[in-house]
Amino acid sequence: MGLRAILRKRTEYFSIDVDFSCPEGKTLVLVGPSGAGKTTVIRMLAGLDRPDDGRITFRGKVIFDADRGICLPPQKRNLGYVFQDFTLFPHLTIHGNASFAAKDKKDVDHLLSYFGLLHLADRKPHQVSGGERQRCAICQALARRPDLLLLDEPFSALDVVTRRGLRAELKKIKDERGLSVVFVTHDIHEALFIADSILPIVDGKVDRDWLEQITSPSSPRDVQPRAVREPKLALVY
Amino acid sequence: MDLLPLYVSAKLAVITTSLLILISAPLAYLLVYGKWPGKFLFEALVNLPIALPPTVIGFYLLYLLGPQGYVGAIWREVFGGTLLFTFSGIVIATAVYNLPFSVQPIKATFEKIDPRLRENAYVLGLSPVATFFRVMIPNSINGIAAAAILVFLHSLGAFGVVLMVGGSISGETRVASIAIYEAVETMNYSEAWLLSLAFLPVSYFLLLLVNRLTRH
């Protein structure tokens, strides 16, 4: 009943053609090199870009169907979206941002406390660090109580230590809330840590060879053993 | 010295500026983000007053606002009376003349806002109208204020278009720039000097304010 998507779109450099699903409460990671079309795929899921063809359903509800001319706007998809860079509203405080679309104001304080932002609640985004801004962006997305959380390389601009902390925090709260998550990254380590299943995308297509190549014994040592240590990992093709 | 023209000019500038900001902000938003056929034709029409001489705009408005013109006829139906040679008439004329000077700076301000802020508002469930009020406007305050000041200054010194549509009726359409022109024509240079002097500090101070607003 989770997410099911068949997406086709012609871009300037290649055509995107992917078919995947993400079971309810699980994390699907779209991984691939930079410029592979991952962001376009997640933007199509969000309704920010329109596919040329295909169909998207979530919990059995059709949110896009090219044949039937159905294309729900982002506002009606009830999802959370965390952008690659910091997209907090600069005129609002951290609390104002987190509660921007909150359904339950009490939940905002809980989330700010969980992500260690409560003491920064009255500061503006430019007065806090990059990691804190991205934590706030996650709070903002979660406070809407979304059915599906989409994250587009949310930690790519952060240092390694902050990244690790955020990944763990995200994983924990996702499990607590039973959220379905689609996570985009070009970092295979990040993908292996977060994913319940992985969708490798290269040049707009699912590319099993690319993932096998990068996780094969001949690949750098720090990549391969992690893949082996993750027995629950399912590769989606 | 007759201070009435200064009062009429100030009143005209305040009303025109308020009216134009209310119209220009949503118009600029539509021009930046709207997708509709003929948008470039409409934008060129909005910008036309930049290219046309004020007397030409005044002449067209004279016809449109007159009893035989569409706007004049509608005005007479709804409010009674005429628009020509009235304060309401010069407000409309000044607003038309200043429309591009208000729309263009606000449009430039909207274009500078990161488009992902708007997308973020959409995925957070906000409609385009709510996004306009809750995201675009608060993040464009300086640009809108700068546009308002420029329009205010422009309206304060309006001459050609006001003369064509309003003539020079004391206390009604006789604005300061017309009073200065008439003072010079009648060789009343002391009054021309004093009225001109009134413009100088106001314009200089407001321009400083525009610089400050656009710098941050």
Side-chain angles (χ1 to χ4, degrees):
Chain A
M1 278 296 280
L3 172 73
R4 175 93 177 91
I6 302 164
L7 301 167
R8 291 185 199 96
K9 186 176 178 70
R10 191 180 291 272
T11 70
E12 200 178 338
Y13 303 106
F14 49 76
S15 289
I16 289 170
D17 189 349
V18 290
D19 181 345
F20 60 90
S21 57
C22 174
E24 185 84 39
K26 299 290 182 189
T27 300
L28 169 70
V29 175
L30 311 186
V31 68
S34 296
K38 309 180 295 290
T39 293
T40 310
V41 169
I42 205 170
R43 284 177 63 86
M44 288 193 279
L45 291 178
L48 296 172
D49 283 343
R50 192 184 173 120
D52 296 332
D53 194 15
R55 182 179 157 88
I56 306 169
T57 58
F58 184 66
R59 291 181 176 165
K61 184 184 170 190
V62 178
I63 56 177
F64 175 79
D65 191 329
D67 292 340
R68 289 160 62 193
I70 298 170
C71 183
L72 293 189
Q75 293 90 339
K76 292 192 175 169
R77 297 192 182 197
N78 197 31
L79 46 87
Y81 193 110
V82 179
F83 289 79
Q84 190 169 358
D85 298 321
F86 317 112
T87 49
L88 294 179
F89 302 114
H91 63 292
L92 297 175
T93 60
I94 292 297
H95 188 277
N97 268 285
S99 60
F100 189 78
K103 288 191 174 154
D104 175 5
K105 300 288 174 191
K106 282 181 198 159
D107 193 33
V108 175
D109 288 341
H110 168 73
L111 283 167
L112 287 174
S113 166
Y114 176 83
F115 283 102
L117 295 170
L118 213 46
H119 66 293
L120 304 170
D122 295 330
R123 295 211 190 154
K124 290 282 182 72
H126 71 272
Q127 295 171 317
V128 301
S129 71
E132 286 158 349
R133 281 203 289 273
Q134 211 56 338
R135 280 187 172 90
C136 181
I138 296 171
C139 286
Q140 189 183 59
L142 290 174
R144 199 187 171 210
R145 289 270 169 192
D147 298 325
L148 175 67
L149 183 62
L150 308 174
L151 301 106
D152 182 11
E153 306 215 25
F155 311 141
S156 61
L158 307 176
D159 64 83
V160 178
V161 178
T162 310
R163 266 176 167 222
R164 277 193 199 138
L166 265 169
R167 274 182 215 155
E169 286 167 17
L170 180 69
K171 202 169 179 177
K172 194 176 156 207
I173 201 153
K174 172 244 156 197
D175 289 338
E176 267 178 29
R177 300 197 169 200
L179 272 171
S180 303
V181 174
V182 179
F183 191 104
V184 165
T185 182
H186 63 267
D187 180 345
I188 191 72
H189 293 137
E190 196 160 76
L192 293 168
F193 180 82
I194 285 182
D196 291 307
S197 54
I198 286 183
L199 185 75
I201 298 181
V202 179
D203 290 341
K205 313 280 186 306
V206 177
D207 189 338
R208 178 185 6 190
D209 293 342
W210 178 83
L211 192 64
E212 281 181 356
Q213 215 173 16
I214 207 161
T215 55
S216 75
S218 59
S219 287
R221 279 171 58 198
D222 60 334
V223 174
Q224 190 274 333
R226 275 175 179 268
V228 175
R229 280 205 304 270
E230 291 281 346
K232 70 183 178 70
L233 189 70
L235 303 184
V236 180
Y237 301 121
Chain B
M1 187 181 76
D2 182 12
L3 292 176
L4 213 50
L6 284 175
Y7 167 73
V8 175
S9 279
K11 193 167 92 168
L12 175 68
V14 168
I15 294 173
T16 307
T17 305
S18 313
L19 193 70
L20 271 183
I21 293 302
L22 286 177
I23 295 169
S24 304
L27 195 59
Y29 187 65
L30 283 175
L31 288 174
V32 175
Y33 298 109
K35 286 175 186 161
W36 29 285
K39 189 169 94 167
F40 74 102
L41 294 173
F42 182 73
E43 187 166 3
L45 196 67
V46 168
N47 289 335
L48 208 52
I50 293 176
L52 288 174
T55 43
V56 173
I57 299 167
F59 177 72
Y60 284 127
L61 286 172
L62 201 58
Y63 177 76
L64 270 176
L65 305 184
Q68 307 302 319
Y70 291 115
V71 181
I74 293 168
W75 184 272
R76 197 170 49 187
E77 279 293 312
V78 179
F79 300 105
T82 175
L83 271 173
L84 294 181
F85 309 109
T86 63
F87 183 75
S88 304
I90 63 168
V91 166
I92 294 174
T94 315
V96 169
Y97 180 56
N98 280 299
L99 188 62
F101 299 100
S102 168
V103 169
Q104 288 306 323
I106 298 176
K107 186 172 166 257
T109 306
F110 286 161
E111 280 167 343
K112 274 189 220 158
I113 294 176
D114 188 339
R116 289 169 309 168
L117 289 187
R118 201 171 54 99
E119 291 184 341
N120 194 23
Y122 285 178
V123 292
L124 287 167
L126 259 67
S127 68
V129 173
T131 302
F132 174 74
F133 285 110
R134 289 186 63 188
V135 177
M136 301 305 287
I137 294 291
N139 285 295
S140 317
I141 287 297
N142 281 6
I144 292 172
I149 292 170
L150 288 173
V151 168
F152 181 84
L153 288 171
H154 231 234
S155 307
L156 208 58
F159 178 73
V161 77
V162 174
L163 192 63
M164 292 290 281
V165 172
S168 175
I169 300 166
S170 181
E172 183 76 14
T173 62
R174 190 166 179 253
V175 293
S177 51
I178 293 174
I180 292 168
Y181 176 76
E182 286 176 351
V184 171
E185 276 226 305
T186 54
M187 289 191 283
N188 186 355
Y189 292 117
S190 59
E191 181 150 338
W193 265 109
L194 286 170
L195 282 171
S196 301
L197 204 60
F199 275 90
L200 203 62
V202 175
S203 303
Y204 186 68
F205 170 75
L206 288 177
L207 279 177
L208 286 180
L209 199 59
V210 169
N211 283 345
R212 192 176 168 78
L213 286 169
T214 48
R215 208 170 44 231
H216 296 287

